[in-house]
Amino acid sequence: MIQVHGLKKSFGEVTAIDGVGFRAADGRITGLLGPNGAGKSTTLRVLYTVLTPDAGQATIDGIDVVARPLEARARLGALPHGSGLYPHLTARENIRYYARLYGMTRDAAEARIEQLVEEIDLRDFIDRRTQGFSQGQRTKVALARALVHDPQNVVLDEPTNGLDVMATRSLRELIRRLRDQGRCVLFSSHVMQEVAALCDDIVIIAGGRVVLDDSPDGIRKATGCDDLEEAFVRAIGRSVVD
Amino acid sequence: MGTLGIVFGKEVRDNLRDRRTLLSALLMGPLFGPILFAVMINLSLNRALSNGEEALELPTIGAERAPNVVEFLRSRNVDVVAGPDSREEALAAVASGRHDVVMIIPEEFATELADGVPARIEVISDQANTTAEREARRATRALAAYSQELAGMRLMVRGVNPALLRPLNIDEVDVSTPSGRSAILLGMLSYFFLFALLTGGMNLAIDATAGERERGSLEPLLSLPVTRDQLIYGKILAACLFMALSLSLSLVSFAATLHFLPLEQLGMTPNFGPAVVVAGFFLLLPFTLLGAALMTLVASFTRSYKEAQTWLSGVLLAPTLPILVVSILQVRPSTELMLIPSLSQHLLLNGLIRNEPTDFLHVGASVVSTLALGLLLTYLCARLYRREGLLG
C-alpha cells in the first residue's frame, strides 16, 4: 500500500508538486492521470526515493521513504520513465544484476527469472543482448527487472509510451495480473483511455495538485460527464480556472 | 559477495563486452607510446649516424681557385663537387631547397690569401632548415679548422709559437652513463604510461554518471535498495582495474619495443628489463585510484557522454603539467616533490631507468600522497553521487 500526504517539491523557482496526497491500495490499480508537466513523474520519483520532498510524507507499506529509504525501496518495484537497459548485457544478465542488488542469492535469482520468463513471455529473447531490442521487448525486460524481487508495490511511470497496440495490450494484461496477485499497482499516464480501461481508482493531477481522486464511475458522477475524457478535461479545466 | 562486488563484477563484464571501446582503450593507449617512441628514436638515430660518418657533398663555385682548401676539406670527410654556375643561381638553388649548402670561392681568393689579408669564402645555406643548418655548420667548422691551421703555419714561419693563439685549452669531460643518457630521451616515457593508464578507464568513468544517465539506466539503478556510495565505489574500482590492465600492457609493450631499437648505437643502455616493468607497475598502480576518481568526478559535472569525452581529453593532459614544470626547472628528486602525484611517479620511474638506487622514503611519500588524494576524490565523487541533481 502506498500513501502520500501533502507532498511538495520545488526546483528553484518552479513548483513541481504542491501538496499532492492520495492512497493506492493493495489489490487495486491506481492511475495517476494528468497532462504533461502536471507533476506525475515528480510524485513517483519521490516514491522511489530519487527525490527528497520539501514537505509532506510518503509511505510504502507504512515505511517512510525519507526516513528509511532502503527499506522502502526493497518493498517497491519501480519502472521509471524511459527505463534503460545495459546494451552489452543479455536480458537475463540485466535482470540478474538487479536481483543480486536486491540481495537475492544466485539460485533464488535464477529461479525467479525462470518464473518471470513464463509470466512476462521473455522466452524468445531472454539470452540475447539487449542492444537492438524493440521498445516492447525493452519494456518487458525492464518490467521483469522491477519485479524480480517479488515486490508488494509496483510503480510504473508512463509504461505504455512508445509501445504498439499489441505490446500495450499485453502490458495491460500483465498489470491486471499483478493486481490479481494482490499487489498495489500505481501507474502514471497522460492518456485518458488507457487509465479508463485499466484503473480501479483514478487520481487526476494538474498544476501540481490533486484535482480529483475517485473511481471511474465516481469521476463521471462528480463532473457530470458520461464520457471520461470530457470529465478529465473538465477536471483539469476547473483547476486552471481556480 | 557484497553489493560492491556485484557492481564491480557487472561493470567489468559490461566493459569487456564493449569490444570496440575496449579495443580503442587498451590498444591505443599502450601502443601509442611505444610507436611514437620508436619513430622518434629512429629519427634521432638517422641524424646521429649521418653526422660525421657520411661524407658531406658540398657544391662549390670556383673550387679550382683553392685546391688546398678542397684537399683539406676532403680530409675532413667533406667532398667538394661542382656547384651552380653563378652566385645568383646558387642563392636560388638553396632557397628552393635543391641544395642544402653551397660554397663560393671568389676570384680574388688566391690574391687575398697571398697578400695575407683575410680571404673571403661564402657559405650559403637556409638556417631555417635544420638539416641544412647542420650541414652548413659542418662545412664552416671544417673551414674554421683550415683557417686555424693556416694561421698556425704563418706564425711558425715568423718564429712564433702557434700555441700562443690558444691561451685556454678547454676539455669537456662527460660523466653521464649510458643509462643516464637514455633517461633524457626516456624522460617523457612516464607520461606515456600515465596516458595509457588513464585512457584504459576513461570509458568506465564516464559511464558511472553521464553514460548511465544518457542510457536511462540511472534512475532505476538508484531506486534499488543499495546505497549510492556502494554503486559509485564499485564503478570506480572497475575503472581502476582497467586502468591497471592498460598500464601493464603499455609497460610490457614498451619493454618489448626497446629490444628492437638500436639504442646502443646512440650510446644508451636503458635499464628496462622485466624487473623494471614490475617495479614500474607497482609505482604507478596508486595512480589508478586517483585517475579513476578524478575522471569520474569531472564526468559527473557533464550533461552528456560527448561532453564528458571532451572534458576528459583535458584530464588526459593534466599529468603532464607537473612533469613539464620540473623538466624546465631541472630539479633533483626530493621528498617534498614526491608528494605531488604524477611528478613523483615520473621521478621515481626515471630513477629506475637510470639504474639509480631507490629511495624508499621517496617511494613511500609517493604512494601515500597519491593514494590519499585518490581517496579524497573518491569521497567527493560519492558526495556528488548523492545529489538530487545527478539525474539531470
Side-chain angles (χ1 to χ4, degrees):
Chain A
M1 188 173 65
I2 297 171
Q3 276 178 301
V4 175
H5 184 71
L7 221 50
K8 289 186 184 185
K9 179 74 187 175
S10 303
F11 300 101
E13 296 282 288
V14 184
T15 304
I17 50 174
D18 188 15
V20 168
F22 61 85
R23 179 170 171 275
D26 286 345
R28 291 182 81 82
I29 300 170
T30 307
L32 210 53
L33 181 66
N36 292 327
K40 303 185 297 289
S41 285
T42 305
T43 308
L44 296 186
R45 280 177 163 187
V46 169
L47 283 176
Y48 48 77
T49 74
V50 297
L51 290 183
T52 317
D54 298 333
Q57 201 191 24
T59 60
I60 291 165
D61 291 343
I63 298 165
D64 192 298
V65 297
V66 178
R68 292 151 69 193
L70 293 188
E71 288 168 69
R73 284 184 222 160
R75 308 194 63 85
L76 190 72
L79 186 72
H81 187 64
S83 274
L85 306 171
Y86 299 105
H88 302 294
L89 300 186
T90 66
R92 187 189 297 277
E93 285 163 345
N94 265 287
I95 303 170
R96 188 193 291 144
Y97 179 43
Y98 271 44
R100 302 285 285 140
L101 288 179
Y102 274 120
M104 297 168 75
T105 64
R106 206 174 280 274
D107 292 343
E110 292 312 320
R112 176 66 182 155
I113 290 170
E114 276 313 307
Q115 210 178 335
L116 286 167
V117 165
E118 292 306 320
E119 248 181 73
I120 307 184
D121 192 22
L122 307 170
R123 183 64 67 202
D124 294 342
F125 47 85
I126 183 70
D127 286 314
R128 266 173 44 200
R129 293 199 191 173
T130 64
Q131 198 153 34
F133 270 24
S134 71
Q135 188 57 41
Q137 291 170 327
R138 264 175 223 285
T139 307
K140 279 184 171 180
V141 176
L143 189 63
R145 196 171 67 170
L147 295 175
V148 73
H149 60 309
D150 201 7
Q152 174 60 29
N153 306 278
V154 183
V155 173
L156 314 155
D157 194 0
E158 310 221 348
T160 55
N161 259 15
L163 295 189
D164 61 24
V165 183
M166 290 313 290
T168 307
R169 278 183 76 128
S170 74
L171 183 67
R172 280 187 199 155
E173 255 167 59
L174 234 148
I175 291 176
R176 286 202 189 93
R177 219 177 306 144
L178 291 175
R179 173 203 45 205
D180 297 341
Q181 290 164 354
R183 294 181 217 264
C184 164
V185 182
L186 176 64
F187 89 95
S188 78
S189 175
H190 59 271
V191 185
M192 183 66 222
Q193 292 83 349
E194 182 171 277
V195 174
L198 203 57
C199 294
D200 304 307
D201 297 302
I202 301 178
V203 179
I204 299 181
I205 297 190
R209 288 166 196 257
V210 174
V211 292
L212 261 179
D213 178 1
D214 214 329
S215 64
D217 282 338
I219 286 181
R220 286 196 192 92
K221 255 180 227 157
T223 54
C225 298
D226 263 358
D227 182 20
L228 264 179
E229 186 166 312
E230 192 59 34
F232 175 49
V233 172
R234 263 194 213 180
I236 294 167
R238 204 167 56 191
S239 84
V240 172
V241 171
D242 286 351
Chain B
M1 191 161 61
T3 304
L4 197 73
I6 294 166
V7 176
F8 176 79
K10 178 259 161 191
E11 293 299 335
V12 170
R13 176 185 293 226
D14 199 350
N15 201 37
L16 283 177
R17 292 264 178 89
D18 190 357
R19 289 280 149 72
R20 300 177 69 158
T21 321
L22 189 70
L23 226 68
S24 71
L26 290 189
L27 285 186
M28 201 195 87
L31 287 186
F32 175 70
I35 289 175
L36 193 68
F37 191 76
V39 168
M40 284 180 40
I41 289 277
N42 265 327
L43 279 179
S44 53
L45 195 67
N46 282 339
R47 288 183 58 164
L49 290 181
S50 71
N51 238 357
E53 287 182 20
E54 250 174 73
L56 170 67
E57 287 208 341
L58 185 60
T60 303
I61 301 175
E64 68 285 352
R65 293 166 197 143
N68 287 336
V69 174
V70 172
E71 198 52 43
F72 183 84
L73 288 178
R74 183 159 297 130
S75 75
R76 289 293 171 118
N77 212 10
V78 177
D79 285 342
V80 171
V81 296
D85 292 333
S86 66
R87 188 170 184 277
E88 283 66 37
E89 272 181 49
L91 286 173
V94 171
S96 70
R98 198 144 36 84
H99 289 309
D100 283 336
V101 195
V102 173
M103 179 167 75
I104 301 178
I105 298 174
E107 273 173 47
E108 59 276 16
F109 179 78
T111 34
E112 283 178 348
L113 203 64
D115 293 349
V117 296
R120 204 163 65 96
I121 292 184
E122 267 188 299
V123 177
I124 302 169
S125 71
D126 177 1
Q127 297 280 324
N129 175 342
T130 45
T131 338
E133 190 230 322
R134 205 173 58 242
E135 297 195 347
R137 209 170 340 114
R138 257 181 88 184
T140 48
R141 214 184 289 140
L143 288 171
Y146 179 70
S147 173
Q148 179 120 33
E149 200 170 280
L150 211 56
M153 286 199 301
R154 284 179 179 173
L155 289 177
M156 268 201 291
V157 169
R158 287 160 179 79
V160 180
N161 186 351
L164 284 176
L165 274 181
R166 291 178 56 192
L168 294 184
N169 188 8
I170 300 159
D171 206 358
E172 281 184 296
V173 181
D174 186 2
V175 295
S176 71
T177 59
S179 312
R181 273 198 293 280
S182 344
I184 298 169
L185 206 63
L186 301 184
M188 62 219 287
L189 251 189
S190 42
Y191 175 62
F192 286 136
F193 294 137
L194 289 176
F195 177 82
L197 177 150
L198 289 174
T199 48
M202 180 160 141
N203 160 45
L204 266 167
I206 298 176
D207 194 73
T209 50
E212 290 262 13
R213 190 162 50 211
E214 205 159 278
R215 219 185 293 118
S217 52
L218 185 59
E219 212 169 321
L221 185 65
L222 296 182
S223 70
L224 294 174
V226 292
T227 63
R228 294 188 184 188
D229 288 8
Q230 287 169 308
L231 294 175
I232 193 78
Y233 293 155
K235 284 169 182 291
I236 289 178
L237 268 183
C240 287
L241 177 78
F242 282 96
M243 285 183 169
L245 197 63
S246 176
L247 169 66
S248 49
L249 273 177
S250 70
L251 283 167
V252 169
S253 75
F254 192 80
T257 313
L258 276 190
H259 274 289
F260 299 104
L261 290 176
L263 286 177
E264 289 73 18
Q265 294 189 36
L266 287 178
M268 298 182 185
T269 43
N271 173 29
F272 212 91
V276 173
V277 168
V278 172
F281 176 76
F282 284 106
L283 277 180
L284 289 169
L285 194 61
F287 201 83
T288 58
L289 182 65
L290 176 60
L294 180 65
M295 291 193 132
T296 308
L297 193 68
V298 171
S300 75
F301 286 108
T302 60
R303 294 250 153 248
S304 68
Y305 204 95
K306 272 193 176 161
E307 196 193 334
Q309 276 179 320
T310 312
W311 281 97
L312 288 192
S313 350
V315 173
L316 286 180
L317 294 177
T320 40
L321 279 178
I323 298 176
L324 207 67
V325 169
V326 160
S327 57
I328 290 169
L329 296 180
Q330 293 280 336
V331 293
R332 302 283 306 161
S334 68
T335 313
E336 293 80 51
L337 287 179
M338 290 298 156
L339 296 176
I340 304 171
S342 101
L343 179 59
S344 66
Q345 279 84 11
H346 165 75
L347 293 173
L348 287 169
L349 198 68
N350 270 4
L352 275 181
I353 295 171
R354 280 175 209 262
N355 214 356
E356 288 171 357
T358 311
D359 184 334
F360 286 98
L361 178 65
H362 286 184
V363 174
S366 164
V367 169
V368 169
S369 64
T370 306
L371 277 181
L373 190 60
L375 285 173
L376 177 71
L377 289 178
T378 307
Y379 170 76
L380 283 177
C381 283
R383 283 293 298 268
L384 280 171
Y385 216 63
R386 279 183 230 151
R387 283 180 315 153
E388 264 183 12
L390 181 68
L391 286 178

